[in-house]
Amino acid sequence: MEKGSCSMGVKKMGLMLAFLGFLFFDGLLLCSAYNVHHYSFILKETNFTRLCTEKSMFTADGKWPGPTIHVRKGDTAFINVHNDGDYGVTIHWHGVRQPRNPWSDGPENITQCPIKPGTNFTYEVIFSTEEGTLWWHAHSDWSRATIHGAIVILPKLGTTYPFPEPYAEQVLILAEWFNGDVKELIDDATETGGDPTPSDAYAINGQPGFPNNCSNDTSFRLSVQPGKTYLLRLINAVMNEEMFFGIAKHNITVVAQDGAYIKPISTSYIMITPGQTMDILLTANQAASYYYIAATPFFDSGAPFDSSNTSAILEYTGTYTPPISPPYPTLPNATDKDAADNFTTRIRSLASPEHPVDIPQTITKRITITVSVNQILCANASCGGPDGNRLAASLNNISFSTPSIDFLQAYYGNLSSVFDRDFPDRPPYVFNFTGDVGNNTLYPSVGRKAHLIKYGESVEIVFQGTNIGNAENHPMHLHGFSFYLVGTGYGNFDNVTSPKTFNLKDPPEVNTIGVPKNGWAVIRFVADNPGVWFMHCHLERHASWGMDTVLIVENGPTNETSIRPPPPNLPTCS
Ligand SMILES: *[C@@H]1O[C@H](CO)[C@@H](O)[C@H](O)[C@H]1NC(C)=O
Ligand SMILES: *[C@@H]1O[C@H](CO)[C@@H](O)[C@H](O)[C@H]1NC(C)=O
Ligand SMILES: *[C@@H]1O[C@H](CO)[C@@H](O)[C@H](O)[C@H]1NC(C)=O
Ligand SMILES: *[C@@H]1O[C@H](CO)[C@@H](O)[C@H](O)[C@H]1NC(C)=O
Ligand SMILES: *[C@@H]1O[C@H](CO)[C@@H](O)[C@H](O)[C@H]1NC(C)=O
Ligand SMILES: *[C@@H]1O[C@H](CO)[C@@H](O)[C@H](O)[C@H]1NC(C)=O
Ligand SMILES: *[C@@H]1O[C@H](CO)[C@@H](O)[C@H](O)[C@H]1NC(C)=O
Ligand SMILES: *[C@@H]1O[C@H](CO)[C@@H](O)[C@H](O)[C@H]1NC(C)=O
Ligand SMILES: *[C@@H]1O[C@H](CO)[C@@H](O)[C@H](O)[C@H]1NC(C)=O
Ligand SMILES: *[C@@H]1O[C@H](CO)[C@@H](O)[C@H](O)[C@H]1NC(C)=O
Ligand SMILES: *[C@@H]1O[C@H](CO)[C@@H](O)[C@H](O)[C@H]1NC(C)=O
Ligand SMILES: *[C@@H]1O[C@H](CO)[C@@H](O)[C@H](O)[C@H]1NC(C)=O
Ligand SMILES: [Cu+2]
């Protein structure tokens, strides 16, 4: 059926429903021709009170979290973003591949310049292979703390979930609340070179919940009917911490990660990194009562972090006396690497006939990237980081600096001097990366570099964590692709012994992976999406410090394997 033949604006849909009698469900039209959706977001300052503190916050449509986008697999959504705020902003559609369409990917000054106050830009978000849960978020300064929301991608009509149809579903977004203004917070930290102030609370669907100050009575509540099974779409929109999550007295079953199905995992807790999403089945099979749903940080470095926890309440329907102290889930300690690994190493692609995998077996392009937290020397030890230095971070010892004209425009328009094309495919020094590191790698160089990849290459990237600065688990995220996580391990990657441990049969297909502290992670993908694609740590302070780079996949031989022409009204750079 012709794409777009029955498209209409979401706001008009209720009205159309009344007149035309279309089947309509929560913003989604149940008609196979209705595969184009229109949304409109207004970004604006809105007041919120949490932890007894009122502040003005930059949000989408005055909501925190922002609106949910509903589509089916293979649909396209046009999203007009109007900026009524005080400063420029961009939006990223996290985990959506956007075939040939980097123009709508969103990272600030990588694929576009910011949407200036008083102006708008319409993103064309093209869904292809994704199915399950993804999310969208601001991708400029630290606006994503407050500007984010869920993307729900249902199976195509005529196809079903690879598990029994859940009775109902619920988006759960983990986020971070800062009593102060997040833009001031990161601007101040950038000026001094020190650690940004940690958040004051975590939140589930915008509510810190028990036991946070003034939050006991405002917890998010999930009402469930005894015996029914619910699909929870969990998103980690937290800025700087990975999270453990669980529900008191209930096991949960994880069935998808990052918009791809996995073999079901029954567990009492999960670990989810910033950027990741998980689809989880919950069966209300315990005594009718209240139970806490909670999340606590997983943070395995010595840097400052928010050690608090957040909760919501699972509330069974029926007649009973609510408990005074509902049970709270037992979650692992913040530094418990074993607990994190015990969950993450169980994840396998579903790899069924309906949801097959296609893992590159013969690699044509190998890249090794060290992932480090560093320092930049400051004259007279005048900065706010360790030893009076400036905190920094790097990939292959290059700390990324953002240009003021986007990479994509510069690449497409052949502008020189915006970026260099020599991001190296191996670390500049080989040393005992995870051992007692010397000083030669503590101080990175600073640059704006991209790495070019030919269309169609089978790519393998080895992320090698290092013990420089502050070793820690880094959730690396690549735009424009999902990829197979074929192996992880501790210590230095060994190109003879490590590949023997690879899973080349059913590895998870994801867009964000935690590179273990003082360890390595290896990913594989086919470079079949021409474009300019950002790759970075999804811990926001590391991304701000320069733990980023750009992969450019060159055009293939035909129009259908080339970057599409730019859309009208791209924000201008200035
Ligand atoms: C919003 O919050 C600020 C404090 O950050 C306060 O000064 C202002 O009066 C509030 N505005 C409204 C409309 O409540
Ligand atoms: C969006 O901006 C264009 C100019 O680029 C303008 O013509 C249009 O009216 C704006 N639309 C909205 C909804 O603000
Ligand atoms: C709770 O908030 C009040 C008002 O802001 C503050 O005075 C108090 O110190 C806070 N208590 C805790 C435990 O954070
Ligand atoms: C929240 O409730 C718990 C017990 O349910 C209590 O211990 C705690 O003091 C309460 N906190 C506040 C801020 O009311
Ligand atoms: C959760 O799973 C564990 C391990 O399979 C099992 O021992 C436990 O009884 C289960 N708990 C519930 C509440 O189903
Ligand atoms: C949790 O970790 C902290 C250090 O991060 C440690 O002091 C504490 O004893 C640990 N608690 C448990 C129960 O293991
Ligand atoms: C991790 O799994 C191993 C093997 O099953 C077990 O011995 C260990 O206790 C687990 N650790 C944690 C923290 O769950
Ligand atoms: C690297 O350093 C670690 C930790 O100090 C040590 O255990 C390991 O043996 C070293 N490896 C090599 C090859 O020197
Ligand atoms: C690193 O540099 C510091 C100060 O320049 C020096 O004191 C220290 O010995 C050096 N360490 C190594 C391992 O080179
Ligand atoms: C494996 O590592 C060794 C030593 O670091 C290096 O000389 C060799 O070229 C590597 N082989 C491959 C296939 O990358
Ligand atoms: C490829 O695209 C260009 C520019 O959009 C167009 O001029 C040309 O006709 C296209 N070629 C084919 C074979 O579609
Ligand atoms: C991005 O570019 C704009 C100019 O187009 C500039 O104002 C802004 O500071 C740049 N952002 C960053 C993070 O450098
Ligand atoms: Cu990181």
Side-chain angles (χ1 to χ4, degrees):
M1 232 169 275
E2 195 183 275
K3 209 162 178 157
S5 56
C6 20
S7 83
M8 66 185 69
V10 151
K11 285 200 179 107
K12 288 185 209 144
M13 279 196 231
L15 205 63
M16 297 295 282
L17 173 70
F19 283 112
L20 302 173
F22 286 147
L23 273 173
F24 164 78
F25 163 72
D26 199 11
L28 176 75
L29 285 165
L30 301 180
C31 151
S32 61
Y34 289 65
N35 49 12
V36 173
H37 309 259
H38 291 265
Y39 285 85
S40 178
F41 293 173
I42 311 267
L43 307 183
K44 59 181 177 188
E45 291 286 336
T46 310
N47 272 14
F48 281 81
T49 301
R50 300 288 186 270
L51 311 186
C52 326
T53 304
E54 184 184 45
K55 70 161 182 176
S56 172
M57 227 158 82
F58 199 15
T59 63
D61 293 355
K63 293 181 182 145
W64 185 63
T68 300
I69 290 175
H70 292 265
V71 297
R72 286 191 184 274
K73 182 178 182 178
D75 287 357
T76 292
F78 288 91
I79 297 140
N80 180 268
V81 176
H82 190 97
N83 185 358
D84 265 351
D86 302 329
Y87 45 89
V89 68
T90 67
I91 308 275
H92 170 54
W93 317 92
H94 184 114
V96 185
R97 294 182 196 209
Q98 302 269 31
R100 306 169 48 222
N101 188 31
W103 304 103
S104 282
D105 190 48
E108 178 185 18
N109 299 3
I110 307 301
T111 63
Q112 69 168 100
C113 282
I115 305 169
K116 295 187 188 76
T119 70
N120 67 75
F121 175 56
T122 300
Y123 290 89
E124 179 175 358
V125 184
I126 303 171
F127 294 89
S128 53
T129 55
E130 308 85 1
E131 183 170 324
T133 308
L134 294 171
W135 62 302
W136 56 269
H137 61 80
H139 213 304
S140 42
D141 59 71
W142 278 26
S143 297
R144 84 165 174 85
T146 58
I147 298 179
H148 59 245
I151 301 177
V152 170
I153 308 161
L154 296 178
K156 273 186 200 268
L157 279 180
T159 69
T160 57
Y161 297 116
F163 44 81
E165 183 85 15
Y167 176 70
E169 58 173 72
Q170 177 66 49
V171 167
L172 294 180
I173 302 190
L174 307 179
E176 237 164 348
W177 165 270
F178 296 83
N179 281 338
D181 181 274
V182 280
K183 182 144 194 332
E184 279 171 24
L185 188 150
I186 185 58
D187 286 353
D188 289 352
T190 305
E191 198 175 314
T192 65
D195 259 305
T197 312
S199 57
D200 296 284
Y202 300 102
I204 298 178
N205 285 357
Q207 295 295 342
F210 168 82
N212 295 284
N213 206 357
C214 304
S215 301
N216 275 10
D217 302 329
T218 55
S219 302
F220 177 75
R221 284 163 188 266
L222 174 58
S223 171
V224 292
Q225 289 183 29
K228 304 279 197 229
T229 296
Y230 295 80
L231 174 59
L232 308 180
R233 299 179 178 274
L234 183 70
I235 295 164
N236 187 351
V238 163
M239 301 293 278
N240 286 309
E241 292 89 357
E242 299 174 335
M243 300 297 282
F244 290 116
F245 170 92
I247 303 176
K249 309 275 188 215
H250 291 73
N251 286 334
I252 52 182
T253 304
V254 188
V255 292
Q257 182 185 7
D258 286 8
Y261 296 115
I262 65 169
K263 294 190 171 77
I265 298 173
S266 173
T267 179
S268 61
Y269 71 91
I270 63 158
M271 194 285 279
I272 183 167
T273 78
Q276 290 180 339
T277 57
M278 290 189 193
D279 294 15
I280 296 169
L281 296 178
L282 164 71
T283 300
N285 58 7
Q286 297 300 305
S289 188
Y290 287 5
Y291 300 87
Y292 278 115
I293 301 170
T296 61
F298 165 52
F299 197 86
D300 59 0
S301 96
F305 73 108
D306 179 349
S307 61
S308 69
N309 47 23
T310 178
S311 69
I313 297 173
L314 181 72
E315 196 178 305
Y316 279 64
T317 58
T319 323
Y320 55 88
T321 312
I324 294 164
S325 299
Y328 204 84
T330 307
L331 294 174
N333 201 345
T335 57
D336 195 341
K337 284 195 303 186
D338 283 349
D341 291 347
N342 277 6
F343 170 68
T344 54
T345 57
R346 291 174 70 190
I347 304 172
R348 305 266 181 280
S349 275
L350 182 57
S352 67
E354 296 76 27
H355 300 280
V357 290
D358 187 10
I359 302 123
Q361 304 285 331
T362 307
I363 298 304
T364 58
K365 171 91 185 168
R366 285 176 202 280
I367 304 175
T368 301
I369 298 178
T370 52
V371 180
S372 308
V373 172
N374 312 85
Q375 294 167 29
I376 289 175
L377 288 168
C378 290
N380 308 320
S382 56
C383 290
D387 301 326
N389 293 331
R390 163 175 295 282
L391 282 161
S394 65
L395 296 176
N396 272 345
N397 219 36
I398 298 155
S399 186
F400 187 81
S401 95
T402 309
S404 42
I405 297 176
D406 57 277
F407 272 64
L408 176 56
Q409 188 179 161
Y411 175 68
Y412 197 79
N414 284 316
L415 305 180
S416 59
S417 81
V418 172
F419 68 93
D420 300 315
R421 297 174 176 223
D422 59 353
F423 183 85
D425 62 5
R426 65 196 62 196
Y429 311 103
V430 174
F431 56 100
N432 188 347
F433 299 115
T434 54
D436 185 10
V437 299
N439 282 353
N440 58 342
T441 49
L442 182 59
Y443 310 114
S445 60
V446 175
R448 289 174 195 143
K449 295 179 188 295
H451 190 86
L452 271 68
I453 298 174
K454 290 204 164 47
Y455 181 88
E457 296 261 38
S458 290
V459 183
E460 179 177 280
I461 301 180
V462 177
F463 293 105
Q464 175 66 62
T466 77
N467 200 25
I468 302 169
N470 221 337
E472 142 168 42
N473 186 306
H474 298 283
M476 295 301 299
H477 172 52
L478 172 61
H479 293 218
F481 294 90
S482 55
F483 48 75
Y484 294 102
L485 172 62
V486 298
T488 58
Y490 284 101
N492 302 325
F493 179 80
D494 180 309
N495 64 11
V496 176
T497 57
S498 301
K500 292 181 179 147
T501 69
F502 285 178
N503 173 5
L504 298 176
K505 198 172 114 260
D506 59 358
E509 186 183 5
V510 292
N511 62 57
T512 307
I513 43 122
V515 178
K517 175 181 182 173
N518 275 323
W520 50 267
V522 179
I523 67 169
R524 289 187 176 188
F525 61 96
V526 176
D528 56 3
N529 190 11
V532 169
W533 305 113
F534 204 31
M535 187 165 75
H536 60 96
C537 180
H538 223 285
L539 300 182
E540 215 55 37
R541 63 189 198 289
H542 293 173
S544 301
W545 294 343
M547 194 175 273
D548 326 86
T549 191
V550 174
L551 300 183
I552 296 180
V553 175
E554 295 175 282
N555 284 342
T558 61
N559 277 5
E560 290 311 304
T561 56
S562 299
I563 297 179
R564 301 190 340 168
N569 303 326
L570 261 183
T572 54
C573 302
S574 63

